[in-house]
Each structure stands twice: as structure tokens, then as C-alpha cells.
Amino acid sequence: MTEPIDPDRPLGALVRENPAFARVFEAVGLDFCCGGDQMLRTACTEADLDLDAVREQLDEARRQSENGEDEWDSMTTLIEHVVDTHHQYLREELPALKQLAEKVRSVHAEEHPELADIEREVLELAEEMHQHTTDEEQDVFPVIEKLDSGDKLTGEERARLDEALADLESDHEATAEHLERIAELSDGYAVPDDACPSYESLLERLETLEQDTHMHVHKENNVLFPQVESQLAGQV
């Protein structure tokens, strides 16, 4: 018999143990990435959601999932997964989204003035995410991989890593704000009646970007970074 969903577990921990839960939290609007430390019970109360109904959805997602947990052998393996899956997706998708947002705005802005704001948010988001992923790959991930290998970090490396983790989590919060703003401006990615195929494609791809970013941030904030902090504590 499976254990009931504990309402006093953090959202991030629940998704870490069963990634299928992410779909439920996305559907009901609970933030499991940047808000991953919040308890399920508290999150439901603050969002005015029926806790029992959400737990039923989580139970159903668990029954349907074939494998309840994504596991990585090491921090290095998780880093490789993040780079190959999420960073590569961003490298390919963000330049195309910038062009598409400009194209749709140029054609439809008269009827949909919010498209100018959406384009601005996309441009700012793309620039910030490019810098963020570059900093991770060039400055942060190599130090984490050294830590993962068992090598002792220098004092300078420890200080740089401590500062970097705080900065990266702050970046994640800024990214979440851009995505929330885009969702608000587009009325939850609702496709207008007069939308052309490009307009519809833009909204679909922006929604996919939001969903991918939620999982990306979850894997760093709630899986990788806590492991780094634990390893650092063990090297004192």
C-alpha cells in the first residue's frame, strides 16, 4: 500500500521524489521551483486550493507514473543532464523566440498592444538566461564537479561557490518574474480569435519555455544546490 501524500512535505521535495507531481503543480498554479521550500499544506491554503483535491491529483499522477524518482549518480551527472537537456534547449529556443516575438508584435500590435510588452519581456529574459547559463557552465559547474570528485576546494573557491549559489537562486527568482509577467500579459497563453499561426506558435512555445524552466530551476534549487551545500559542510 502506498503512503498517503504528506501535506507537510515541501513542494520541491515532492517533485524531487516524483517528477510526475510537477504536472499537477503546474496545473493548479503552485510554484515548486523557486517556491520549493513551501509546504504543500501552506501552499494550498495561500492559493485557496482544496488540499484534499490536490492530494488526490497527486495520488493519480503517482499511480500513472512508471518511475517515481529521477536519480543521478552524482552531482556531475546531474550537471551534465542540466546542460544537455535544459541549457541546450535554451540555446536553440531563445534566439528563435526573440525573432518570433518581434515578428508577431510587428503584425498584431495594433489589435494586441500587450505584444510590445511580451516582446520586451522575452528580450530581457533571453539576455538574462544566456548570461546565467554561461556563468554556470564557465564559473560554477566546474567548481562543483571538482567538489564532487572529492578534491578539497581552496578558500577562494569555497567563497566563490557560496556567493554563486546565492546569486543563481536570485537569478532564478528574476526569471520566474519574467515568466509570470508573460503569462499575465498573454492571459495564460490564451490564443486570440484573430491569431495567425505564428502568433499561436509564439504562445505555445512560451508556455513550453515556462514549463521547461520550472523543471530546470527545480533540479538546481531543490536537488543540486542542497547537495553542494551538504558537501561543502562536510569539507569544513
Side-chain angles (χ1 to χ4, degrees):
M1 181 176 180
T2 58
E3 292 287 332
I5 304 296
D6 184 352
D8 295 313
R9 299 282 326 280
L11 300 179
L14 289 169
V15 175
R16 182 169 63 245
E17 293 165 8
N18 193 322
F21 290 166
R23 294 192 298 273
V24 176
F25 292 147
E26 290 274 7
V28 300
L30 294 183
D31 178 9
F32 62 89
C33 49
C34 292
D37 291 338
Q38 193 171 43
M39 303 302 170
L40 175 60
R41 185 193 307 277
T42 304
C44 287
T45 299
E46 293 186 358
D48 198 23
L49 295 171
D50 185 293
L51 174 61
D52 290 336
V54 173
R55 292 174 73 194
E56 288 178 6
Q57 292 182 58
L58 293 172
D59 274 327
E60 179 62 23
R62 181 167 58 183
R63 284 193 293 270
Q64 292 179 1
S65 65
E66 295 181 356
N67 182 6
E69 184 174 1
D70 279 344
E71 293 184 356
W72 293 274
D73 294 336
S74 64
M75 292 188 294
T76 298
T77 303
L78 177 51
I79 286 171
E80 292 171 351
H81 164 78
V82 166
V83 171
D84 293 343
T85 302
H86 299 291
H87 287 196
Q88 185 59 32
Y89 162 74
L90 292 172
R91 288 194 184 93
E92 295 172 357
E93 185 66 357
L94 289 176
L97 273 176
K98 288 165 59 177
Q99 293 181 358
L100 188 57
E102 189 278 331
K103 175 183 177 181
V104 173
R105 188 266 308 154
S106 68
V107 175
H108 294 278
E110 184 173 348
E111 297 82 9
H112 299 279
E114 71 276 5
L115 285 169
D117 291 329
I118 289 176
E119 181 188 16
R120 185 180 64 253
E121 293 289 339
V122 169
L123 293 175
E124 292 177 1
L125 178 63
E127 177 63 28
E128 291 174 13
M129 294 186 88
H130 170 73
Q131 187 60 54
H132 177 86
T133 55
T134 299
D135 289 345
E136 284 187 331
E137 293 180 21
Q138 294 183 356
D139 300 327
V140 181
F141 287 169
V143 181
I144 296 176
E145 290 171 346
K146 178 180 178 180
L147 177 68
D148 194 35
S149 72
D151 292 342
K152 191 171 181 61
L153 301 186
T154 65
E156 188 274 334
E157 287 173 330
R158 285 182 62 92
R160 177 152 48 97
L161 195 51
D162 282 334
E163 181 179 1
L165 294 185
D167 289 343
L168 293 177
E169 290 190 1
S170 178
D171 288 350
H172 290 164
E173 292 175 1
T175 295
E177 291 174 0
H178 282 298
L179 293 171
E180 288 170 6
R181 178 66 174 151
I182 291 170
E184 291 172 359
L185 288 166
S186 63
D187 192 22
Y189 309 105
V191 179
D193 292 337
D194 61 344
C196 67
S198 292
Y199 196 157
E200 184 173 359
S201 175
L202 173 66
L203 294 175
E204 290 175 352
R205 290 167 71 170
L206 286 171
E207 185 171 16
T208 298
L209 173 66
E210 181 183 44
Q211 293 168 351
D212 183 84
T213 302
H214 285 169
M215 286 304 299
H216 179 181
V217 171
H218 160 71
K219 290 169 186 174
E220 293 188 3
N221 277 15
N222 303 320
V223 184
L224 179 62
F225 295 169
Q227 291 183 29
V228 172
E229 291 168 353
S230 177
Q231 289 270 31
L232 286 174
Q235 276 203 5
V236 175

